[in-house]
Amino acid sequence: MYAIRLELVPPPVADGCPEAAGAGPVRALLLRLPLDGARVCHARVREDAAGLGAVCFLTASSLLAAEWALRAGAGALVGPGGPLAGWSVVRCEADPWFALGRWQDRARN
């Protein structure tokens, strides 16, 4: 299983208030993403003023395959006609702390 970090930001709007998406609904979308050769088994999504951040745990043939599959799936979410159309993917990459097995060290920093 591979941990991939994902960050999404809402589109800018005229009145300065970004469009809300909610962590729960986005988590559900991530768990149902049709990914080529990979699958999101677990996702943890947090919402803040800048947008949404997630760590997705995927099964895939390799770390690179997991990263590419989630990047393509997230692109479909934010693309035209997607449930988060207009949003932007600002990060979709392997979490190095998890990839190196050093997640406990990250908690101390």
Side-chain angles (χ1 to χ4, degrees), residues 25-92:
V26 170
R27 180 180 181 277
L29 289 170
L30 291 169
L31 291 172
R32 291 192 312 265
L33 274 179
L35 303 176
D36 186 31
R39 182 171 68 93
V40 177
C41 297
H42 177 72
R44 179 146 201 178
V45 181
R46 301 226 182 223
E47 187 175 7
D48 64 20
L52 296 165
V55 176
C56 299
F57 295 88
L58 290 88
T59 57
S61 59
S62 69
L63 178 62
L64 187 57
E67 189 176 299
W68 281 65
L70 186 60
R71 185 171 289 134
L77 288 178
V78 302
L84 297 175
W87 283 61
S88 299
V89 177
V90 294
R91 177 187 302 235
C92 186

